[in-house]
Amino acid sequence: MDYRLSEEQQAIVEMARRFTADEITPFAGEWDEQHVYPRETIRKAGDLGFGAIYLEESAGGIGLGRLEATLIMEAMAYGCPSTSALISIHNMASWMIARFGSDALGRRFLPKLTSMEQIASYCLTEPGSGSDAASLKTRAVRDGDHYVLNGAKAFISGAGENEIYVCMVRTGEDGHKGISAFVVEKDTPGLSFGTNERKLGWHSQPTAMVLFDDARIPVENLIGSEGDGFRIAMAGLDGGRLNIGACSLGGAQRCLDEALGYVKERRQFGRAISEFQNTQFMLADMATELEAARALLRMAALKVTEDAPDKTRFAAMAKLKATDAGFRIVNDALQLHGGYGYLMDYPVERFLRDLRVHQILEGTNQVMRMIVGRDLLA
């Protein structure tokens, strides 16, 4: 096993870092403070292929693996975890269409998705079904050449702004076997959106409910077959969990770097606080946790790329480790900044707010433990 990145992978990292330094980092604080959805920046990411990272080239993607995707997400999250996570969600939804949808469905939607001229949202969670996703209530009833959708989705990133919504809805019996997946377009009659949620973080992307009131969806918008929706949704989440873990690593690395710079300059008791052993021990723990999480995430990414039998368990383990460690590292970085870390003049508090939700979305970290425990005992 070679822990070193290849020359091609290192070139991908450098490209993503340059893009982040030029197009994301200088503006991320403003996006957060003013709740700006940076569509133009996201389109520029699409120009680099970042809207279709692990889609095959035949589908308009750049044909990279899941490891390369995590490298890109980590690099962009160094500037803004919220924006990087939004691009991750778009990749997940687009991949679901490319991987499980018909050729005709791909031809209709993928060209504008891969370029990020259009952006996709992933719609699974509902007001009454979060961790228990298989209990979702939104229903689609076949009516001739259409399905008629009624229900609501909650906490949807990009809702009201994005053009495409990959939605898991019930077409059959209760439980996961009765769920199907559909592509729903923003201008569909009967589709509407709730007001933007007032969130702790992730201010650079809108979050709202997606509402269906007799929304008519062409039969051709079905992804795969009826009853495949839950399996498709879970397959998407393997990659989504890797990417959100990578976003935590990028944010944690940024805050570790900020803390390293601060403790060398901040003086108390007549010397830089970097000279105190307590400070050095905190930094040592932060760096060790970060590297351990990064190693597990990259191992899991290789397993997902290879379609290994234990890929779902490792994706859950990596998401659990990276998001828990990432938040602790950012919190410790804020502590090392003292009172200044609590101010918006310093970026650490923004990363603290942004990374907190990573322990909740793409499956809570409690659910990640359930997945790992059940797989170990199977």
Side-chain angles (χ1 to χ4, degrees), residues 19 31 36-47 50-52 73 76 82-95 97 108-123 156-167 182-187 191 193 202 204-206 210:
F19 175 76
W31 297 341
V36 174
Y37 188 28
R39 290 293 300 253
E40 186 57 36
T41 301
I42 291 170
R43 286 195 183 94
K44 290 179 180 179
D47 292 340
F50 294 170
M73 295 302 162
M76 290 193 295
S82 171
T83 302
S84 185
L86 187 281
I87 295 173
S88 164
I89 294 167
H90 167 86
N91 270 268
M92 176 171 63
S94 299
W95 175 81
I97 297 172
R108 283 175 59 200
F109 293 109
L110 289 177
K112 290 186 177 180
L113 290 174
T114 55
S115 66
M116 300 198 81
E117 179 182 345
Q118 293 186 343
I119 303 177
S121 293
Y122 175 91
C123 305
I156 305 304
S157 293
E161 293 286 343
N162 291 355
E163 292 80 13
I164 301 298
Y165 299 85
V166 174
C167 302
F182 291 88
V183 177
V184 182
E185 298 176 80
K186 181 182 178 180
D187 60 0
L191 174 66
F193 306 95
W202 274 27
S204 74
Q205 52 168 290
V210 176

Side-chain angles (χ1 to χ4, degrees), residues 235-311:
L237 281 177
D238 279 341
R241 287 165 180 161
L242 296 175
N243 288 345
I244 208 65
C247 290
S248 286
L249 296 181
Q253 184 68 66
R254 170 69 180 279
C255 291
L256 175 58
D257 290 347
E258 294 285 341
L260 287 168
Y262 182 82
V263 298
K264 293 174 184 176
E265 296 177 357
R266 177 66 171 171
R267 298 183 65 83
Q268 290 290 281
F269 305 103
R271 52 180 169 161
I273 62 173
S274 61
E275 297 180 23
F276 294 108
Q277 190 177 62
N278 178 68
T279 301
Q280 295 168 10
F281 280 9
M282 285 184 69
L283 293 168
D285 286 344
M286 293 159 69
T288 302
E289 280 282 278
L290 180 58
E291 293 298 343
R294 185 177 281 133
L296 178 57
L297 186 87
R298 292 182 179 179
M299 179 188 296
L302 291 173
K303 286 180 175 288
V304 172
T305 297
E306 296 167 356
D307 199 26
D310 54 1
K311 63 179 181 181

Side-chain angles (χ1 to χ4, degrees), residues 354-373:
D354 280 351
L355 262 62
R356 181 60 184 86
V357 76
H358 296 186
Q359 297 168 294
I360 299 172
L361 51 80
E362 311 286 32
T364 68
N365 284 6
Q366 287 71 31
V367 169
M368 296 304 99
R369 291 177 171 90
M370 289 169 52
I371 292 170
V372 173

